[in-house]
Amino acid sequence: MTTTITETKIPPSTHEFANVIHRLEAGGSMLPDTPENLMQIIGIYKAYAVPMDFYWRDLLYIAERVFLNPLPFFKYFLPKEYLDLHNHYAGDDADLRIWRGEATAHPELLAFIQKGETFKMPKLFHHLNHDRINMEFAEACMNAMLWHRGMGGQFDPYLDTDEYKANADRAIKAYFQGNPVMLGLYKLFPEMFIEQVRQLSYYANLGLFWEVMAPVFFEMSDIYDEGGFKGVPDAMNFLVNGIFAIAGRPIYHHVYIRGKCYEIIPKSKGFMWLYEAALPYVEAVFYRTSPFRGTKSYNAQAKQVPDEQKDFHYGILYADVLPVGTAGIPPTLLMDDMLHFLPDYLIDYYRQHCRGEDDMLIQLGITFQRSMYNVTSAVIQALRTALLYPLDDTNPKHLMANRRFFEAQMDRFKRSEARLRDIQSQDYR
Amino acid sequence: MADIVDIAVSADNFKTLVTAVKAANLVDTLKSPGPFTVFAPNDEAFAKLPPGTIQTLVQNIPQLSRILTYHVVAGKLMQADLAKVNCVTSVEGSPIPIDCSDGFEVKNATVVAGDIEADNGVIHVIDNVILMG
């Protein structure tokens, strides 16, 4: 053992976000630890978890059952079988019980599917009246993951292998068995069909990712209601532990055709939740996504959109939430979904600020942004735990390695669009 | 001399590792002629993982195998050999950074007992489970 414990403190950081870095080094979050922040983020996790409970079920339904249906008119009409599908991380028969509640669809979700914002009527009328969960948002997230590709993990490279194409081929032929038109098209344009299957594999990937996050957020809301979280760092640490606990769950794509299961991506490939779903998701959705049609010009001469995908910075951590509710701002779909499931304490809080109920969509959007900075903090701390050193390490070389890692992460928020500066103050709402 | 598995079984601070290797059906591989270099996390290393991590991995054998094969490198590499390189490639496929400039560190783990020779390779005992990425 070295005896120079008192000498081990490293000099303060000179980074632009030094105060945030020091907070992370002390075991905190990028989001300041105030009771108001804690109340906001937990409330919004709860409001997010209910539509997410629909998203993951429908994503898996589309990947496993709708599959290559050329006219998928009813892909958002979740059959009872998928509403009753047991979440692997909730209920009595869970693989690892994260939420103490039920494994089937959340009661608030079932009530919304039945009544919506209006009254009880057939699903089709709710759908046509746009009184529904905005599933297009989940598909936009899936598309971001599909399109950005190459963000680490082995899932994406696997989609280009001959093994994958052979697995997809078996399923395509089985699905269109007895349909000479589609089989003929497949013979003419095989890549078109394979690419559709790749997209469906990403439906499965994202569905399996959110199957974990929904019970995590439900449980956090319950713990908060019981008085269990003392501050923002507690809430972040719950997420860090959740990330580790579930890191090894398999990521796969199974398709069910006429009662038979086709393993397009078998569980035996060893793909894992952490590497093949969670980290690519964070990169694709929190950081990159794609430029909002309502705020950026895609004009090639204007050069507003970067040439390199790695430079994309249109995720929730950079988003300007103020125009939510106007045309060309995709997160509006999610904000609208969350609006239906806000806890009472959050509604009361929004009534007291800004324009009260009139701009609640924007207020909750900014709360959502705060909460996603906390989730990103959890991911950063989890990566630090997995790949680097404990925060109380006594070796200065190790502490410097942690420091460099945190600084490199904060470098991504130096650009002017990043909202890290804004969320430090409660005036941003 | 004994092979890598026999040595791990006979030592008493590799209980979790031995259980995991058996669960992942890697016993035959690690008993084969190899040779292999194994970075073996001791029981304290596994105990540092947050709760639930091992439970999920033991329920999912291919994923467990992947983590375990990240701790194995082809060839018999002693500390002196590793001191000459910055990085080795694991059987899993991902790189493992090596730092021998000040002690003997493997990624974010420190070797607590190095160069334990076996019939079919060498074991270096580490104080952390190492993870890809």
Side-chain angles (χ1 to χ4, degrees):
Chain A
M1 280 295 286
T2 50
T3 49
T4 53
I5 291 164
T6 49
E7 301 291 305
T8 53
K9 277 269 181 193
I10 52 173
S13 170
T14 54
H15 194 276
E16 182 188 343
F17 292 119
N19 57 342
V20 178
I21 289 165
H22 295 150
R23 201 192 302 144
L24 287 166
E25 286 177 348
S29 162
M30 286 191 278
L31 186 68
D33 180 15
T34 66
E36 200 173 342
N37 272 339
L38 181 68
M39 179 273 290
Q40 286 191 67
I41 62 172
I42 300 285
I44 210 79
Y45 288 158
K46 154 67 185 28
Y48 188 22
V50 183
M52 191 183 277
D53 196 32
F54 183 87
Y55 297 158
W56 78 262
R57 290 170 191 278
D58 201 21
L59 286 164
L60 287 185
Y61 171 64
I62 294 169
E64 297 176 349
R65 308 281 170 166
V66 178
F67 196 48
L68 288 169
N69 185 347
L71 303 167
F73 294 127
F74 300 107
K75 64 176 174 175
Y76 301 154
F77 289 55
L78 212 44
K80 190 171 182 314
E81 191 190 346
Y82 272 76
L83 288 169
D84 291 342
L85 194 66
H86 281 206
N87 187 306
H88 285 88
Y89 303 97
D92 293 329
D93 59 349
D95 291 348
L96 182 74
R97 193 167 191 175
I98 294 178
W99 185 39
R100 290 161 286 171
E102 290 302 311
T104 51
H106 194 271
E108 283 186 45
L109 175 65
L110 294 174
F112 183 79
I113 290 174
Q114 205 168 59
K115 284 188 163 170
E117 293 285 271
T118 46
F119 47 84
K120 194 174 167 181
M121 57 177 144
K123 270 195 280 195
L124 183 65
F125 294 118
H126 276 297
H127 184 89
L128 294 174
N129 197 29
H130 207 111
D131 188 6
R132 61 188 181 87
I133 300 283
N134 293 310
M135 188 60 198
E136 293 89 338
F137 172 78
E139 291 182 310
C141 292
M142 175 281 299
N143 262 313
M145 293 177 79
L146 169 73
W147 185 72
H148 276 292
R149 311 196 75 170
M151 291 169 300
Q154 297 179 354
F155 185 88
D156 194 67
Y158 182 68
L159 302 184
D160 290 321
T161 60
D162 291 338
E163 186 184 326
Y164 178 82
K165 287 179 193 166
N167 293 346
D169 177 75
R170 265 192 297 279
I172 294 167
K173 284 181 177 152
Y175 187 77
F176 291 121
Q177 184 196 327
N179 184 338
V181 177
M182 293 309 285
L183 284 176
L185 273 174
Y186 176 47
K187 235 190 169 75
L188 283 170
F189 309 107
E191 267 305 312
M192 182 175 81
F193 287 76
I194 300 280
E195 185 67 7
Q196 288 300 314
V197 178
R198 287 191 187 109
Q199 176 165 312
L200 288 157
S201 293
Y202 266 105
Y203 271 95
N205 181 310
L206 182 56
L208 293 170
F209 172 69
W210 273 339
E211 185 186 356
V212 172
M213 296 316 293
V216 167
F217 289 153
F218 281 134
E219 182 63 21
M220 290 179 82
S221 170
D222 285 358
I223 292 175
Y224 179 74
D225 291 346
E226 292 158 8
F229 288 129
K230 288 188 182 60
V232 173
D234 282 0
M236 180 188 72
N237 287 328
F238 186 87
L239 287 164
V240 173
N241 286 327
I243 290 171
F244 273 99
I246 304 303
R249 94 160 290 195
I251 296 297
Y252 53 91
H253 181 195
H254 291 174
V255 179
Y256 297 89
I257 301 163
R258 284 183 285 274
K260 193 167 173 253
C261 175
Y262 292 80
E263 299 194 346
I264 294 183
I265 300 177
K267 289 183 181 177
S268 62
K269 293 307 294 177
F271 298 154
M272 292 166 60
W273 185 84
L274 177 65
Y275 294 108
E276 274 74 34
L279 295 176
Y281 171 85
V282 168
E283 180 66 25
V285 176
F286 286 7
Y287 287 95
R288 297 188 189 185
T289 67
S290 50
F292 297 180
R293 315 263 163 175
T295 58
K296 293 284 170 210
S297 166
Y298 278 64
N299 182 331
Q301 279 78 36
K303 292 200 179 300
Q304 280 195 13
V305 173
D307 293 338
E308 301 276 342
Q309 281 172 245
K310 67 174 174 52
D311 298 329
F312 275 42
H313 53 276
Y314 307 102
I316 185 64
L317 303 177
Y318 301 92
D320 180 1
V321 184
L322 201 62
V324 157
T326 64
I329 310 294
T332 302
L333 292 172
L334 172 62
M335 306 313 163
D336 181 59
D337 276 346
M338 292 192 293
L339 189 63
H340 307 305
F341 306 108
L342 289 174
D344 292 337
Y345 58 84
L346 216 43
I347 295 174
D348 290 342
Y349 176 74
Y350 293 145
R351 278 194 184 121
Q352 292 160 26
H353 292 101
C354 300
R355 298 186 186 178
E357 266 176 56
D358 292 344
D359 68 346
M360 210 182 275
L361 213 54
I362 295 163
Q363 292 194 56
L364 84 86
I366 286 173
T367 300
F368 181 69
Q369 196 164 46
R370 287 180 197 281
S371 78
M372 291 300 120
Y373 266 98
N374 191 52
V375 175
T376 309
S377 303
V379 173
I380 290 174
Q381 294 285 15
L383 281 175
R384 193 263 313 146
T385 309
L387 309 176
L388 290 153
Y389 305 97
L391 296 169
D392 58 358
D393 202 298
T394 48
N395 183 338
K397 213 171 105 186
H398 293 174
L399 292 178
M400 266 327 272
N402 284 352
R403 165 73 57 83
R404 278 195 300 274
F405 170 74
F406 285 136
E407 288 185 341
Q409 294 294 325
M410 292 310 110
D411 282 348
R412 302 192 74 178
F413 300 120
K414 277 180 166 176
R415 60 181 318 132
S416 64
E417 295 90 342
R419 303 291 154 180
L420 180 59
R421 284 175 206 86
D422 303 290
I423 59 144
Q424 300 306 316
S425 147
Q426 216 51 255
D427 299 335
Y428 177 58
R429 59 171 95 245
Chain B
M1 262 201 307
D3 62 42
I4 291 169
V5 177
D6 294 337
I7 290 180
V9 170
S10 61
D12 47 293
N13 57 343
F14 291 118
K15 288 193 179 70
T16 318
L17 182 65
V18 169
T19 313
V21 166
K22 282 180 183 162
N25 304 317
L26 290 171
V27 173
D28 291 343
T29 312
L30 289 175
K31 274 183 166 291
S32 70
F36 302 107
T37 303
V38 176
F39 299 108
N42 55 24
D43 287 340
E44 294 85 68
F46 280 103
K48 284 185 205 166
L49 290 173
T53 313
I54 300 282
Q55 189 187 334
T56 302
L57 284 170
V58 170
Q59 286 167 355
N60 300 292
I61 296 308
Q63 285 68 22
L64 175 65
S65 313
R66 189 171 153 201
I67 296 279
L68 291 175
T69 52
Y70 182 60
H71 291 75
V72 181
V73 179
K76 185 178 181 179
L77 301 166
M78 308 298 284
Q79 182 176 352
D81 304 315
L82 291 167
K84 294 174 202 147
V85 295
N86 291 325
C87 200
V88 288
T89 303
S90 71
V91 172
E92 191 267 342
S94 303
I96 309 174
I98 306 283
D99 181 4
C100 290
S101 63
D102 176 21
F104 181 11
E105 295 187 7
V106 178
K107 200 154 192 173
N108 59 340
T110 302
V111 176
V112 290
D115 290 349
I116 301 171
E117 288 197 70
D119 275 344
N120 58 347
V122 58
I123 300 174
H124 305 290
V125 183
I126 53 176
D127 67 346
N128 261 325
V129 177
I130 53 173
L131 297 165
M132 301 85 81

